[in-house]
Amino acid sequence: MSLHGKPLVGLRAIEFTHMVMGPTVGLILADLGAEVIKVEPIGGDKTRRLGGSGAGYFPMYNRNKKSVALDLKSDEGRDIALRLVDSADIFVENFRPGALDALGFGYDALSKRNPGLVYCSEKGFLDGPYAHRTALDEVAQMMGGLAYMTGPPGRPLRAGASVIDVGGGMFGAIAILSALHQRSMSGTGQYVSSALFETTAFFVGQHIAQKAVTGVAAAPMPARVSAWAVYDVFDVKNDQKVFVGVVSDSQWAAFCAAFDLEDWAEDPDLATNTGRVARREYILPRLRDLFCEYSSDTLMAKLELCGLPFAPISRPQDLCDDPHLNANGGLIEMTLADGKTAKLPSLPISMAGVRHGLYANPPRIGEHTSEILASLDFSARMIEDLCDRQIAQVDTVPPDKADG
């Protein structure tokens, strides 16, 4: 896929990030066409070498970017990075408070060099009593109420994905785009920030509002009082499960007709959602017995025919074979730095009917160091000298081997 028509073409972002939250900001900008230059230390971003649950971080959040590897603790490496910032519209970082100020890359220093720069910090907390604390996705979920809402009573449980890291990155990207719009009128950039704790608070806002409206605190989701009588996971044949929801009176009528539940269709006590919720303990046992007679495919086909909400209980890897995602650009097939291939989700947006896909695989360490240094008027000999002195690093993996 080319960059033609992408909305952020012409913007340059310099990214000093690692893990998930910061790289998510750069991913969004890069997918939308901005030139995102990821500045890595010599030896590469440590996120590249994570195992276990962190093994997917780098490939998921670093496509469509360029990699430049520099020693920022050296005067020459720092000078190169500063020259890159001078040419940039956006700077993104997610290091602990004060870390980049000590290296000369804090907002005050960079904005003096480049007044039009939009500087985005991705943090654990916005300004306030907790601003100095170190936070992680899990820390934010625990103290922000999300873990309490996710697990059963007395057993707080983090969500099964880095939802706060990703959400915080999304809010950072929103702030950047808003600041760029303001810059188009004022001519000056600004400092913007998003944070894990505040993102979590925003995500549980509906539960905070529920308490304000009803006077009753929201129960954890596994113990919640459902707003609808039929809104649950049901067992079907072959030890499989299907989620089924009936969330309106018209859906209830269609549901009863599809499953020959004439007595329920004619029962005035079940005609409204309020009545059905009051008799949920009467409705659910019968449905559990009924749905056990169906295979998952047969049940879902019947539910789809009558327009009811339903879902199979899928694992993340099952999505690679999902016909809908494969049909409309929802999955991007890419080659990873170790030569393996993977299908990974694209941005969940469409613009003028177009999905934003892949134009560059996740970069190898220093893959674009020579290209970027050459654009700053470094000769091949000068670049070789910087690499010999470990001030810069150039990818040395042969293209045929790197591409598998």
Side-chain angles (χ1 to χ4, degrees), residues 21-51:
M21 191 186 188
T24 296
V25 180
L27 168 74
I28 295 169
L29 300 175
D31 275 15
L32 295 175
E35 180 189 28
V36 177
I37 300 173
K38 183 178 182 71
V39 177
E40 303 186 60
I42 302 299
D45 178 355
K46 291 181 180 179
T47 308
R48 291 176 177 271
R49 298 182 287 277
L50 289 177

Side-chain angles (χ1 to χ4, degrees), residues 180-358:
L180 288 172
H181 177 66
Q182 288 188 318
R183 189 185 72 171
S184 71
M185 296 178 285
S186 68
T188 58
Q190 62 181 280
Y191 176 86
V192 301
S193 185
S194 69
L196 295 170
F197 180 56
E198 284 79 2
T199 294
T200 314
F202 188 86
F203 281 3
V204 301
Q206 68 193 71
H207 305 306
I208 299 172
Q210 178 183 334
K211 173 65 163 60
V213 170
T214 67
V216 179
M221 294 299 279
R224 72 191 185 279
V225 176
S226 176
W228 301 281
V230 182
Y231 199 78
D232 216 326
V233 175
F234 296 88
D235 292 321
V236 294
K237 286 183 177 179
N238 302 321
D239 295 323
Q240 294 185 303
K241 298 178 185 293
V242 175
F243 169 83
V244 181
V246 179
V247 298
S248 70
D249 295 341
S250 60
Q251 286 184 5
W252 175 253
F255 175 72
C256 290
F259 289 90
D260 299 322
L261 299 169
E262 295 178 4
D263 57 324
W264 281 1
E266 296 171 358
D267 187 338
D269 291 338
L270 301 179
T272 66
N273 182 64
T274 300
R276 291 191 296 274
V277 170
R279 299 186 66 189
R280 196 167 188 263
E281 297 308 313
Y282 161 69
I283 292 172
L284 289 183
R286 183 174 172 184
L287 289 188
R288 296 194 190 284
D289 291 340
L290 174 64
F291 290 157
C292 278
E293 300 174 5
Y294 290 86
S295 68
S296 61
D297 288 344
T298 302
L299 178 60
M300 289 190 294
K302 197 174 185 71
L303 294 167
E304 184 168 17
L305 192 62
C306 57
L308 295 181
F310 67 90
I313 310 304
S314 300
R315 302 165 300 174
Q317 61 267 32
D318 296 335
L319 301 183
C320 295
D321 298 317
D322 185 272
H324 180 81
L325 292 177
N326 279 285
N328 70 355
L331 294 173
I332 297 173
E333 188 163 356
M334 63 184 72
T335 301
L336 308 183
D338 61 2
K340 296 178 181 177
T341 59
K343 284 184 178 180
L344 297 175
S346 61
L347 285 186
I349 60 173
S350 171
M351 298 179 67
V354 175
R355 298 294 297 269
H356 296 284
L358 182 76

Side-chain angles (χ1 to χ4, degrees), residues 48 58-60 62-65 334-337 344 358 360-364 367:
R48 291 176 177 271
F58 193 88
M60 177 61 207
N62 288 284
R63 64 174 176 252
N64 293 332
K65 300 178 183 179
M334 63 184 72
T335 301
L336 308 183
L344 297 175
L358 182 76
N361 290 308
R364 300 184 296 277
E367 182 175 343

